[in-house]
Amino acid sequence: MSSHAPLDGKVAIVTGSGRGLGLAYAQELARHGAAVVINDVDDATAAEAVSTIEAEGGRAVAVALPVGPTETAKQLVQAAVDTFGRLDILVTNAGVLRDTVLWKMSDDDFDTVINVHLRGTFTCVREAATYMRANEIPGRIICIGSPTGQRGNFGQTNYAAAKAGIVGMVRTWALELKKAGITANAVIPVAATAMTATVPYFAAAVEADEKGEPMPAFFRHDLGFGTSDDVAGLIAYLASDAAAAVTGQAIGIGGDRLQLWSHPEAVATAYHEGGWSYDDLSTGFADAAGELQPVGEKFPPLPEELQRPAPSGR
């Protein structure tokens, strides 16, 4: 650990940090001096994550509970305060997937994803912000979104709704917490995960990552697709004093690419005296609206040398 680390004396909670992206975030915060509360649903996974941080000279403690209930949020904040004396940073990363098309999605599929992603973000941020405000701590709230929440994705009604909702809440919290000096931002990561590992389009990138080799430039530059560590630097920056003026933003990162997502704005405006009747719209909508907005992610053709066959059974 650096003797002049930017997060020295800071304490962070990272939900869903037993493995994957969440673990990368927690490790990066610790490398920059923060003590970290690790959260996972599995005791052994959480304990192992703590060990990786302690092995590098960092400080961490585990809380093995599912995110969503208010009681979990309370215990996470209490663990930070009881173990390390305060709370400065919250990263809400915990999530689950229950992917299926609309007409096959059950109530449980929908509710499970909304409960962990959306309600879990809400309950944890509410608890952390309440503590920060009461103790006059200019804290940092960092919520993890997704390109799916920005553009939609086939088979992810529940996930898209949750991730879009998270960005909406972040914009609201940035307004509500500004006076207290607390920032709230959303990070939109694009990285190799257990989910992308099953997609043939990303197979060459995932292969390289698993071998510890650099990902091809097509993925890192053209797609902005990289490793978990490529995302972690942004988490540490937003958690620091250097980012005190950054709030209410949705920031994309992956591979070599950094993006600032726009807030929704009208892209076309037209007026019709007396209002718009059905007849007015049926004859004039195309001219008034102009080019319609695209939905979903549009990937460029995969270079031939990076193409891989789809796994059998897909």
Side-chain angles (χ1 to χ4, degrees), residues 17-62:
S17 51
R19 56 170 64 90
L21 282 165
L23 177 57
Y25 303 157
Q27 291 171 330
E28 183 74 357
L29 292 171
R31 289 188 193 106
H32 288 282
V36 185
V37 177
I38 295 289
N39 164 251
D40 194 271
V41 293
D42 181 73
D43 286 290
T45 300
E48 176 59 27
V50 168
S51 295
T52 67
I53 291 173
E54 292 178 337
E56 292 188 6
R59 297 181 299 154
V61 67

Side-chain angles (χ1 to χ4, degrees), residues 154-201:
F154 189 95
Q156 291 194 310
T157 293
N158 44 12
Y159 187 71
K163 290 302 191 181
I166 286 170
V167 175
M169 291 194 299
V170 160
R171 292 179 178 134
T172 299
W173 295 333
L175 297 172
E176 294 177 345
L177 298 172
K178 182 178 180 180
K179 187 176 180 180
I182 302 168
T183 65
N185 291 287
V187 169
I188 315 298
V190 183
T193 64
M195 181 174 69
T196 54
T198 67
V199 181
Y201 186 91

Side-chain angles (χ1 to χ4, degrees), residues 195-220:
M195 181 174 69
T196 54
T198 67
V199 181
Y201 186 91
F202 297 109
V206 173
E207 285 174 12
D209 186 39
E210 290 176 344
K211 294 177 182 177
E213 300 172 354
M215 286 188 183
F218 172 81
F219 292 101
R220 291 193 59 85

Side-chain angles (χ1 to χ4, degrees), residues 48-287:
E48 176 59 27
V50 168
S51 295
T52 67
I53 291 173
E54 292 178 337
E56 292 188 6
R59 297 181 299 154
V61 67
V63 174
L65 288 171
V67 165
T70 293
E71 185 54 36
T72 294
K74 290 182 179 295
Q75 290 196 42
L76 286 168
V77 172
Q78 198 62 49
V81 175
D82 288 349
T83 308
F84 302 117
R86 58 187 290 127
L87 174 63
D88 304 89
I89 302 154
L90 171 67
V91 182
T92 61
N93 171 75
V96 294
L97 292 174
R98 296 290 187 273
D99 292 356
T100 189
V101 291
L102 170 64
W103 50 95
K104 294 182 179 180
M105 185 170 288
S106 68
D107 288 356
D108 184 63
D109 291 333
F110 186 83
D111 291 345
T112 296
V113 171
I114 294 298
N115 182 61
V116 176
H117 285 277
L118 194 61
R119 180 182 173 84
T121 296
F122 161 68
T123 55
C124 288
V125 172
R126 179 179 60 184
E127 197 67 24
T130 299
Y131 171 83
M132 291 171 184
R133 290 183 74 252
N135 291 276
E136 299 183 346
I137 294 173
R140 303 286 181 262
I141 305 296
I142 304 165
C143 302
I144 306 303
S146 167
T148 295
Q150 304 296 100
R151 293 188 174 274
N153 192 34
F154 189 95
Q156 291 194 310
T157 293
N158 44 12
Y159 187 71
K163 290 302 191 181
I166 286 170
V167 175
M169 291 194 299
V170 160
R171 292 179 178 134
T172 299
W173 295 333
L175 297 172
E176 294 177 345
L177 298 172
K178 182 178 180 180
K179 187 176 180 180
I182 302 168
T183 65
N185 291 287
V187 169
I188 315 298
V190 183
T193 64
M195 181 174 69
T196 54
T198 67
V199 181
Y201 186 91
F202 297 109
V206 173
E207 285 174 12
D209 186 39
E210 290 176 344
K211 294 177 182 177
E213 300 172 354
M215 286 188 183
F218 172 81
F219 292 101
R220 291 193 59 85
H221 184 274
D222 296 17
L223 290 182
F225 179 90
T227 67
S228 298
D229 288 340
D230 291 322
V231 181
L234 177 60
I235 302 299
Y237 167 69
L238 291 174
S240 74
D241 293 341
V246 182
T247 192
Q249 303 304 302
I251 306 170
I253 190 165
D256 300 329
R257 187 178 71 187
L258 178 73
Q259 294 180 309
L260 184 67
W261 285 85
S262 68
H263 294 203
E265 297 284 353
V267 296
T269 302
Y271 300 92
H272 191 276
E273 187 174 350
W276 291 87
S277 68
Y278 169 83
D279 290 338
D280 297 327
L281 290 166
S282 64
T283 59
F285 180 81
D287 288 338

